[in-house]
Amino acid sequence: MAAYFASLNPTALWNAAPGGLAQGLIWGIMALGVYLTYRVLNFADLSVDGSFATGGAVAVMLILQGWSPEAVLPVAFLSGVAAGFVTGILHVWLGIPDILAGILTQISLYSINLNIMGKANQAVPAGAVTVHFTSNIRYLGQTIALTLIVDIVIIGVFYWFLGTETGSAIRATGINPHMSRAQGINTGRMKIIALAVSNGMVALSGGILAEYQGFADVKMGQGSIVIGLAAVIIGEVIGEAVLGKRLGFILRLTFVVIGAVIYYFVYVFVLWLKFPADDMKLLTAIVVAIFLAVPYLKEMRKTSFHALARRNSRANGSAKEGKEN
């Protein structure tokens, strides 16, 4: 045991922290897309694993075709919009349940991504093009600053969009679709719009990550939905713990990004502890399960018979003291 702790180098952890911050901010964009479907629309969209890789594949292939790194990102976003549109069509027009519709799109995108890249992965030749999102340690500060700006802009646009008439209709659809239809809202259209926007943000995140790491892989989106959910849940739990009832909607969106950063810091820390990389998916599942359970356990603690007995006991004690006085 002493030899194990002696082998851990704090300097290595410190050096890895900026990379974890950069990746956390990049995945934060994806987490915002997951938040739109999971929390706002109340739709379990599993197509994000595929659309994330689609954004990366489109970005890398367009860069290889001579496009500028800036121009490929809007196209990556549009590729995600198309993927979300397909999921919406499968669910709304064909009546396929939400989970199955997402799975069908995800499976289809695996083959589509292979066709886009021509093989399982494609890399941008080192030095062939200058990208602004890079893992190069010399420019990592620039990457962090630029990604932070992108996150802030997306949060602002997201906040504005959900305050528009269409955004309000999407929120109403997620809260109560039956009442929304009774009020004349086309809930099917709202679902398609939300899925398209959500997957667009996910694909944009995939495109930025592909530029950051210098390649796209057909499996780069594997487990994205779990990471997105982890970021959403961690952000909400910490935000409610810190701010309580003062946690407004725009702060909630901010904490979603913070949740993604925290998740990646945990990831970096666990790797620094020399845990096997093959166990990271298991760790992610455990982290998500813990944070999902926290709100439930807190609520159960407030509403359980044991808590009621404690409150009654305190009330009886106060009454007795009042009588004695």
Side-chain angles (χ1 to χ4, degrees):
M1 185 64 70
Y4 165 73
F5 284 107
S7 67
L8 299 177
N9 184 1
T11 304
L13 178 62
W14 175 260
N15 292 336
L21 174 59
Q23 291 196 65
L25 292 172
I26 293 172
W27 284 92
I29 301 171
M30 185 273 300
L32 289 171
V34 172
Y35 182 86
L36 177 58
T37 52
Y38 179 66
R39 282 296 192 220
V40 178
L41 190 62
N42 195 23
F43 189 103
D45 181 24
L46 300 183
S47 61
V48 298
D49 284 19
S51 56
F52 187 87
T54 301
V58 168
V60 168
M61 294 309 295
L62 289 178
I63 289 175
L64 293 177
Q65 293 296 319
W67 286 51
S68 69
E70 299 82 9
V72 305
L73 295 180
V75 183
F77 174 83
L78 292 176
S79 70
V81 169
F85 183 79
V86 170
T87 302
I89 293 299
L90 291 174
H91 174 64
V92 174
W93 289 7
L94 301 182
I96 299 174
D98 51 3
I99 293 178
L100 292 178
I103 290 174
L104 289 174
T105 305
Q106 178 192 135
I107 293 172
S108 303
L109 286 173
Y110 185 87
S111 296
I112 291 171
N113 294 337
L114 281 173
N115 281 281
I116 290 173
M117 294 189 292
K119 54 182 180 179
N121 52 69
Q122 287 279 4
V124 178
V129 63
T130 301
V131 294
H132 300 294
F133 301 95
T134 175
S135 58
N136 189 321
I137 190 65
R138 293 173 57 192
Y139 305 106
L140 201 52
Q142 168 190 298
T143 299
I144 292 172
L146 188 57
T147 310
L148 181 60
I149 292 172
V150 172
D151 282 326
I152 292 172
V153 170
I154 290 177
I155 289 173
V157 172
F158 197 177
Y159 181 75
W160 165 82
F161 171 70
L162 290 178
T164 63
E165 184 176 348
T166 300
S168 299
I170 290 172
R171 288 188 286 121
T173 299
I175 295 170
N176 193 330
H178 301 295
M179 182 60 73
S180 299
R181 281 193 294 270
Q183 295 297 320
I185 296 173
N186 188 333
T187 56
R189 182 185 300 167
M190 294 305 107
K191 288 180 179 180
I192 293 174
I193 292 173
L195 287 165
V197 173
S198 169
N199 281 272
M201 287 193 285
V202 171
L204 174 62
S205 177
I208 294 175
L209 183 64
E211 290 190 8
Y212 174 83
Q213 61 191 12
F215 69 91
D217 187 271
V218 72
K219 293 184 178 181
M220 65 182 289
Q222 197 173 59
S224 294
I225 183 64
V226 179
I227 297 174
L229 288 175
V232 171
I233 301 303
I234 292 171
E236 286 184 337
V237 170
I238 292 177
E240 290 172 0
V242 173
L243 298 176
K245 295 181 179 180
R246 294 175 296 169
L247 186 64
F249 185 64
I250 195 164
L251 288 174
R252 193 173 293 273
L253 296 177
T254 303
F255 270 97
V256 168
V257 177
I258 293 174
V261 173
I262 292 173
Y263 169 83
Y264 254 88
F265 274 140
V266 172
Y267 187 92
V268 169
F269 180 73
V270 171
L271 287 179
W272 176 73
L273 291 176
K274 300 183 179 180
F275 275 54
D278 293 341
D279 294 339
M280 293 309 298
K281 298 296 182 185
L282 174 61
L283 172 70
T284 300
I286 293 173
V287 170
V288 173
I290 291 172
F291 277 92
L292 279 172
V294 166
Y296 174 78
L297 295 176
K298 286 176 65 179
E299 187 65 24
M300 287 294 292
R301 187 178 178 184
K302 292 178 182 177
T303 59
S304 66
F305 287 111
H306 182 61
L308 180 61
R310 285 203 311 269
R311 287 197 294 270
N312 289 338
S313 177
R314 286 197 295 267
N316 291 335
S318 300
K320 289 180 180 179
E321 289 179 4
K323 289 180 180 180
E324 291 175 358
N325 295 331

